[in-house]
PDB file of all heavy atoms in Angstrom:
ATOM      1  N   PHE X  69      52.457 112.919-129.968  1.00 46.00           N
ATOM      2  CA  PHE X  69      51.784 113.513-131.120  1.00 46.00           C
ATOM      3  C   PHE X  69      50.643 112.643-131.633  1.00 46.00           C
ATOM      4  O   PHE X  69      49.828 113.095-132.404  1.00 46.00           O
ATOM      5  CB  PHE X  69      52.780 113.800-132.237  1.00 46.00           C
ATOM      6  CG  PHE X  69      53.455 112.573-132.775  1.00 46.00           C
ATOM      7  CD1 PHE X  69      52.900 111.872-133.821  1.00 46.00           C
ATOM      8  CD2 PHE X  69      54.645 112.126-132.227  1.00 46.00           C
ATOM      9  CE1 PHE X  69      53.521 110.743-134.315  1.00 46.00           C
ATOM     10  CE2 PHE X  69      55.267 111.001-132.719  1.00 46.00           C
ATOM     11  CZ  PHE X  69      54.703 110.308-133.767  1.00 46.00           C
ATOM     12  N   LEU X  70      50.563 111.386-131.216  1.00 47.00           N
ATOM     13  CA  LEU X  70      49.479 110.515-131.655  1.00 47.00           C
ATOM     14  C   LEU X  70      48.217 110.671-130.810  1.00 47.00           C
ATOM     15  O   LEU X  70      47.165 110.187-131.183  1.00 47.00           O
ATOM     16  CB  LEU X  70      49.917 109.052-131.622  1.00 47.00           C
ATOM     17  CG  LEU X  70      50.952 108.648-132.658  1.00 47.00           C
ATOM     18  CD1 LEU X  70      51.391 107.213-132.420  1.00 47.00           C
ATOM     19  CD2 LEU X  70      50.393 108.792-134.048  1.00 47.00           C
ATOM     20  N   GLU X  71      48.336 111.311-129.655  1.00 50.00           N
ATOM     21  CA  GLU X  71      47.198 111.430-128.760  1.00 50.00           C
ATOM     22  C   GLU X  71      46.275 112.547-129.216  1.00 50.00           C
ATOM     23  O   GLU X  71      46.695 113.644-129.530  1.00 50.00           O
ATOM     24  CB  GLU X  71      47.682 111.702-127.343  1.00 50.00           C
ATOM     25  CG  GLU X  71      48.508 110.568-126.769  1.00 50.00           C
ATOM     26  CD  GLU X  71      49.050 110.894-125.391  1.00 50.00           C
ATOM     27  OE1 GLU X  71      48.685 111.941-124.837  1.00 50.00           O
ATOM     28  OE2 GLU X  71      49.842 110.092-124.893  1.00 50.00           O
ATOM     29  N   CYS X  72      44.986 112.260-129.262  1.00 53.00           N
ATOM     30  CA  CYS X  72      43.982 113.246-129.643  1.00 53.00           C
ATOM     31  C   CYS X  72      42.843 113.170-128.644  1.00 53.00           C
ATOM     32  O   CYS X  72      42.462 112.097-128.213  1.00 53.00           O
ATOM     33  CB  CYS X  72      43.410 112.949-131.023  1.00 53.00           C
ATOM     34  SG  CYS X  72      44.616 112.685-132.282  1.00 53.00           S
ATOM     35  N   ALA X  73      42.306 114.295-128.312  1.00 53.00           N
ATOM     36  CA  ALA X  73      41.147 114.329-127.438  1.00 53.00           C
ATOM     37  C   ALA X  73      39.910 114.441-128.314  1.00 53.00           C
ATOM     38  O   ALA X  73      39.537 115.519-128.757  1.00 53.00           O
ATOM     39  CB  ALA X  73      41.230 115.499-126.472  1.00 53.00           C
ATOM     40  N   LEU X  74      39.299 113.312-128.622  1.00 51.00           N
ATOM     41  CA  LEU X  74      38.125 113.297-129.482  1.00 51.00           C
ATOM     42  C   LEU X  74      36.870 113.078-128.653  1.00 51.00           C
ATOM     43  O   LEU X  74      36.860 112.277-127.722  1.00 51.00           O
ATOM     44  CB  LEU X  74      38.229 112.163-130.512  1.00 51.00           C
ATOM     45  CG  LEU X  74      39.327 112.285-131.558  1.00 51.00           C
ATOM     46  CD1 LEU X  74      39.327 111.046-132.434  1.00 51.00           C
ATOM     47  CD2 LEU X  74      39.117 113.513-132.395  1.00 51.00           C
ATOM     48  N   PRO X  75      35.788 113.785-128.991  1.00 52.00           N
ATOM     49  CA  PRO X  75      34.523 113.493-128.337  1.00 52.00           C
ATOM     50  C   PRO X  75      33.994 112.159-128.852  1.00 52.00           C
ATOM     51  O   PRO X  75      34.474 111.648-129.863  1.00 52.00           O
ATOM     52  CB  PRO X  75      33.619 114.655-128.783  1.00 52.00           C
ATOM     53  CG  PRO X  75      34.229 115.140-130.043  1.00 52.00           C
ATOM     54  CD  PRO X  75      35.695 114.872-129.941  1.00 52.00           C
ATOM     55  N   PRO X  76      33.023 111.558-128.170  1.00 55.00           N
ATOM     56  CA  PRO X  76      32.448 110.311-128.682  1.00 55.00           C
ATOM     57  C   PRO X  76      31.820 110.559-130.055  1.00 55.00           C
ATOM     58  O   PRO X  76      30.836 111.287-130.180  1.00 55.00           O
ATOM     59  CB  PRO X  76      31.406 109.914-127.648  1.00 55.00           C
ATOM     60  CG  PRO X  76      31.451 110.930-126.577  1.00 55.00           C
ATOM     61  CD  PRO X  76      32.450 111.980-126.925  1.00 55.00           C
ATOM     62  N   ILE X  77      32.399 109.996-131.074  1.00 51.00           N
ATOM     63  CA  ILE X  77      32.007 110.301-132.447  1.00 51.00           C
ATOM     64  C   ILE X  77      30.603 109.792-132.750  1.00 51.00           C
ATOM     65  O   ILE X  77      29.878 110.389-133.532  1.00 51.00           O
ATOM     66  CB  ILE X  77      33.053 109.744-133.427  1.00 51.00           C
ATOM     67  CG1 ILE X  77      34.342 110.534-133.248  1.00 51.00           C
ATOM     68  CG2 ILE X  77      32.588 109.795-134.863  1.00 51.00           C
ATOM     69  CD1 ILE X  77      35.471 110.117-134.132  1.00 51.00           C
ATOM     70  N   ALA X  78      30.183 108.706-132.120  1.00 54.00           N
ATOM     71  CA  ALA X  78      28.859 108.155-132.397  1.00 54.00           C
ATOM     72  C   ALA X  78      27.748 109.111-131.971  1.00 54.00           C
ATOM     73  O   ALA X  78      26.644 109.069-132.511  1.00 54.00           O
ATOM     74  CB  ALA X  78      28.688 106.813-131.691  1.00 54.00           C
ATOM     75  N   ALA X  79      28.032 109.998-131.010  1.00 56.00           N
ATOM     76  CA  ALA X  79      27.015 110.921-130.516  1.00 56.00           C
ATOM     77  C   ALA X  79      26.906 112.184-131.362  1.00 56.00           C
ATOM     78  O   ALA X  79      26.025 112.999-131.134  1.00 56.00           O
ATOM     79  CB  ALA X  79      27.334 111.294-129.072  1.00 56.00           C
ATOM     80  N   LEU X  80      27.780 112.357-132.344  1.00 54.00           N
ATOM     81  CA  LEU X  80      27.798 113.581-133.140  1.00 54.00           C
ATOM     82  C   LEU X  80      27.091 113.382-134.477  1.00 54.00           C
ATOM     83  O   LEU X  80      27.055 112.279-135.004  1.00 54.00           O
ATOM     84  CB  LEU X  80      29.244 113.999-133.408  1.00 54.00           C
ATOM     85  CG  LEU X  80      30.098 114.348-132.200  1.00 54.00           C
ATOM     86  CD1 LEU X  80      31.532 114.589-132.626  1.00 54.00           C
ATOM     87  CD2 LEU X  80      29.550 115.564-131.480  1.00 54.00           C
ATOM     88  N   PRO X  81      26.544 114.466-135.042  1.00 60.00           N
ATOM     89  CA  PRO X  81      26.051 114.379-136.415  1.00 60.00           C
ATOM     90  C   PRO X  81      27.207 114.099-137.371  1.00 60.00           C
ATOM     91  O   PRO X  81      28.368 114.294-137.021  1.00 60.00           O
ATOM     92  CB  PRO X  81      25.442 115.761-136.683  1.00 60.00           C
ATOM     93  CG  PRO X  81      25.309 116.417-135.362  1.00 60.00           C
ATOM     94  CD  PRO X  81      26.276 115.756-134.434  1.00 60.00           C
ATOM     95  N   LEU X  82      26.891 113.658-138.580  1.00 59.00           N
ATOM     96  CA  LEU X  82      27.916 113.208-139.518  1.00 59.00           C
ATOM     97  C   LEU X  82      28.966 114.275-139.802  1.00 59.00           C
ATOM     98  O   LEU X  82      30.164 114.002-139.768  1.00 59.00           O
ATOM     99  CB  LEU X  82      27.267 112.743-140.822  1.00 59.00           C
ATOM    100  CG  LEU X  82      28.234 112.214-141.883  1.00 59.00           C
ATOM    101  CD1 LEU X  82      28.990 111.009-141.362  1.00 59.00           C
ATOM    102  CD2 LEU X  82      27.504 111.880-143.148  1.00 59.00           C
ATOM    103  N   GLY X  83      28.565 115.495-140.084  1.00 58.00           N
ATOM    104  CA  GLY X  83      29.525 116.554-140.399  1.00 58.00           C
ATOM    105  C   GLY X  83      30.451 116.844-139.234  1.00 58.00           C
ATOM    106  O   GLY X  83      31.659 117.012-139.408  1.00 58.00           O
ATOM    107  N   GLU X  84      29.900 116.900-138.025  1.00 60.00           N
ATOM    108  CA  GLU X  84      30.731 117.154-136.844  1.00 60.00           C
ATOM    109  C   GLU X  84      31.608 115.951-136.535  1.00 60.00           C
ATOM    110  O   GLU X  84      32.731 116.104-136.044  1.00 60.00           O
ATOM    111  CB  GLU X  84      29.853 117.493-135.646  1.00 60.00           C
ATOM    112  CG  GLU X  84      29.161 118.836-135.758  1.00 60.00           C
ATOM    113  CD  GLU X  84      28.284 119.116-134.550  1.00 60.00           C
ATOM    114  OE1 GLU X  84      28.583 118.590-133.457  1.00 60.00           O
ATOM    115  OE2 GLU X  84      27.300 119.860-134.718  1.00 60.00           O
ATOM    116  N   ALA X  85      31.125 114.743-136.811  1.00 55.00           N
ATOM    117  CA  ALA X  85      31.930 113.547-136.571  1.00 55.00           C
ATOM    118  C   ALA X  85      33.147 113.531-137.484  1.00 55.00           C
ATOM    119  O   ALA X  85      34.255 113.188-137.055  1.00 55.00           O
ATOM    120  CB  ALA X  85      31.089 112.289-136.784  1.00 55.00           C
ATOM    121  N   LEU X  86      32.964 113.928-138.750  1.00 56.00           N
ATOM    122  CA  LEU X  86      34.102 113.998-139.657  1.00 56.00           C
ATOM    123  C   LEU X  86      35.093 115.059-139.205  1.00 56.00           C
ATOM    124  O   LEU X  86      36.304 114.857-139.256  1.00 56.00           O
ATOM    125  CB  LEU X  86      33.635 114.271-141.088  1.00 56.00           C
ATOM    126  CG  LEU X  86      32.971 113.117-141.817  1.00 56.00           C
ATOM    127  CD1 LEU X  86      32.432 113.583-143.161  1.00 56.00           C
ATOM    128  CD2 LEU X  86      33.935 111.968-141.999  1.00 56.00           C
ATOM    129  N   SER X  87      34.586 116.198-138.737  1.00 60.00           N
ATOM    130  CA  SER X  87      35.472 117.254-138.257  1.00 60.00           C
ATOM    131  C   SER X  87      36.236 116.807-137.016  1.00 60.00           C
ATOM    132  O   SER X  87      37.422 117.089-136.869  1.00 60.00           O
ATOM    133  CB  SER X  87      34.681 118.516-137.932  1.00 60.00           C
ATOM    134  OG  SER X  87      34.082 119.015-139.103  1.00 60.00           O
ATOM    135  N   ALA X  88      35.570 116.078-136.125  1.00 56.00           N
ATOM    136  CA  ALA X  88      36.230 115.594-134.911  1.00 56.00           C
ATOM    137  C   ALA X  88      37.276 114.537-135.253  1.00 56.00           C
ATOM    138  O   ALA X  88      38.357 114.500-134.656  1.00 56.00           O
ATOM    139  CB  ALA X  88      35.204 115.017-133.943  1.00 56.00           C
ATOM    140  N   ALA X  89      36.971 113.687-136.226  1.00 55.00           N
ATOM    141  CA  ALA X  89      37.934 112.661-136.630  1.00 55.00           C
ATOM    142  C   ALA X  89      39.142 113.280-137.303  1.00 55.00           C
ATOM    143  O   ALA X  89      40.246 112.740-137.231  1.00 55.00           O
ATOM    144  CB  ALA X  89      37.266 111.654-137.558  1.00 55.00           C
ATOM    145  N   MET X  90      38.975 114.405-137.973  1.00 55.00           N
ATOM    146  CA  MET X  90      40.069 115.066-138.659  1.00 55.00           C
ATOM    147  C   MET X  90      40.844 116.008-137.731  1.00 55.00           C
ATOM    148  O   MET X  90      41.766 116.678-138.167  1.00 55.00           O
ATOM    149  CB  MET X  90      39.551 115.856-139.859  1.00 55.00           C
ATOM    150  CG  MET X  90      38.879 115.008-140.917  1.00 55.00           C
ATOM    151  SD  MET X  90      39.972 113.812-141.659  1.00 55.00           S
ATOM    152  CE  MET X  90      40.992 114.876-142.632  1.00 55.00           C
ATOM    153  N   ALA X  91      40.476 116.065-136.442  1.00 58.00           N
ATOM    154  CA  ALA X  91      41.126 116.984-135.518  1.00 58.00           C
ATOM    155  C   ALA X  91      42.554 116.550-135.191  1.00 58.00           C
ATOM    156  O   ALA X  91      43.361 117.362-134.782  1.00 58.00           O
ATOM    157  CB  ALA X  91      40.314 117.094-134.236  1.00 58.00           C
TER     158      ALA X  91
END
Side-chain angles (χ1 to χ4, degrees):
F69 62 90
L70 291 174
E71 297 177 7
C72 310
L74 294 177
I77 292 180
L80 297 174
L82 181 61
E84 291 179 27
L86 287 174
S87 297
M90 298 298 288

